[in-house]
Amino acid sequence: MKRFRTVAAAAVLAMTGFAAFAQNLTGYDIAKRGDEVDEGKTCSYTATLTLKSKKGAVRTREIMCRNKDYGDVKKSVVVFVVPKDVEGVAYLSFDYPDKADGTKPDGDSWLFMPAMKKTRRIAGSGKDDDFMGTDFTYADMGDRGLTKDDFNLLGEDTVDGNPCWKVELIAKDKSEKTQRRILWYRKDNYKVIKGEYYDRQNELARILTTSDTTKIDGIWTTQKMFMQNVKSGHSTLLEMKNVRYNLPLDDKMFTVSAIERGSVR
């Protein structure tokens, strides 16, 4: 009985300590944990993009994605497979980690258009543009890091039965198209389950909802992301398939020459 009381007391103290710790988390702390969620050294998947207009017209695209974390840089490549009019279009991006001085280097990214036989570098304000007609931007496709925003914890909430932290992110660069974000982080895994994106006039521009979050190869993976443009009524559903982590990936596929040759596999 004494042993039971000791164990029970320790459990209560642990729970109390965890609750106190959780209550002391800041918006930055929560976003940092979300940024540090394990994504594997490599990740491979295919995905379906379903684009829907306000009037109900639907377009579908299939893409192939490969990601690799080198420590000092994360490299990603996206290749459009179907339909025919976008087949071979490829997007290569390099994301760099935050620096010790509290800044984040701008990433490098390139878009190859086979019909034009031309590779275009995406830089500066171009990263706020829509990614290939979807409701995701080029910036959404990369790793934003933590140094580009100020963070505020707005409180707690429940989304689809999942307890969440509600965090506001305000862009430090006032020239950015998206000036404010509100993200809902699940408490159990720190994955974003919902997001609201506000423009320079502080008007709601886009809403992100995610679903089908489960563990694959031991890694929490969000397999469905739905982005809706509130103003235009257009929306994009991204559905991931065949997700695999930590498989060997050839370094050569993460190069401009590889996307131009169409040799990414």
Side-chain angles (χ1 to χ4, degrees):
M1 180 64 71
K2 181 178 179 181
R3 178 189 174 101
F4 173 78
R5 287 199 300 268
T6 302
V7 173
V12 169
L13 285 172
M15 292 172 63
T16 303
F18 175 79
F21 174 74
Q23 290 173 357
N24 290 329
L25 287 175
T26 66
Y28 174 84
D29 295 332
I30 294 163
K32 186 173 187 294
R33 290 185 174 209
D35 190 62
E36 293 173 346
V37 168
D38 184 17
E39 295 180 338
K41 288 296 182 182
T42 68
C43 178
S44 303
Y45 64 93
T46 58
T48 299
L49 289 165
T50 304
L51 289 65
K52 189 174 182 178
S53 72
K54 184 177 181 179
K55 294 182 178 181
V58 175
R59 292 179 292 161
T60 302
R61 295 172 176 174
E62 298 284 341
I63 59 175
M64 174 180 63
C65 305
R66 304 287 183 263
N67 305 320
K68 190 168 186 176
D69 188 348
Y70 290 83
D72 60 343
V73 60
K74 291 181 180 178
K75 298 184 179 182
S76 302
V77 61
V78 178
V79 180
F80 285 78
V81 181
V82 292
K84 197 70 175 178
D85 62 337
V86 294
E87 181 182 359
V89 171
Y91 178 65
L92 173 68
S93 63
F94 294 176
D95 282 312
Y96 305 99
D98 297 343
K99 290 184 176 180
D101 63 1
T103 62
K104 179 177 175 60
D106 288 334
D108 297 308
S109 55
W110 302 263
L111 181 69
F112 173 64
M113 306 291 288
M116 302 173 62
K117 297 182 180 180
K118 183 178 180 180
T119 300
R120 177 169 65 95
R121 186 163 186 152
I122 308 296
S125 60
K127 294 187 177 182
D128 283 332
D129 294 341
D130 296 341
F131 175 66
M132 289 297 294
T134 72
D135 297 280
F136 297 93
T137 66
Y138 288 96
D140 293 333
M141 305 297 291
D143 180 8
R144 184 172 177 79
L146 299 169
T147 63
K148 292 182 178 291
D149 300 293
D150 292 316
F151 301 85
N152 298 306
L153 178 58
L154 300 182
E156 301 179 11
D157 202 353
T158 300
V159 179
D160 294 336
N162 297 285
C164 301
W165 280 293
K166 186 178 178 182
V167 179
E168 179 185 52
L169 295 77
I170 300 175
K172 295 177 181 178
D173 183 352
K174 301 308 176 186
S175 68
E176 289 192 28
K177 184 176 179 180
T178 301
Q179 277 296 300
R180 188 165 73 99
R181 299 167 176 81
I182 299 178
L183 302 180
W184 282 255
Y185 292 86
R186 280 178 48 165
K187 289 187 176 183
D188 59 343
N189 56 22
Y190 293 92
K191 300 291 286 185
V192 172
I193 192 171
K194 180 182 175 182
E196 292 180 349
Y197 298 74
Y198 294 79
D199 61 19
R200 296 188 187 99
Q201 289 72 45
N202 199 30
E203 295 179 351
L204 180 61
R206 297 181 297 153
I207 297 176
L208 171 71
T209 53
T210 73
S211 59
D212 199 6
T213 298
T214 186
K215 279 190 174 182
I216 299 176
D217 297 335
I219 295 175
W220 283 107
T221 306
T222 298
Q223 298 179 88
K224 291 184 181 181
M225 288 168 274
F226 180 74
M227 184 71 84
Q228 181 178 18
N229 188 310
V230 176
K231 296 183 177 182
S232 70
H234 197 276
S235 65
T236 303
L237 173 64
L238 186 152
E239 300 175 274
M240 296 170 62
K241 299 174 290 184
N242 309 314
V243 183
R244 297 299 305 274
Y245 292 99
N246 298 320
L247 297 177
L249 292 179
D250 191 341
D251 294 334
K252 293 179 181 178
M253 73 173 66
F254 300 100
T255 61
V256 172
S257 60
I259 63 174
E260 290 177 339
R261 292 194 310 269
S263 60
V264 178
R265 296 290 183 268

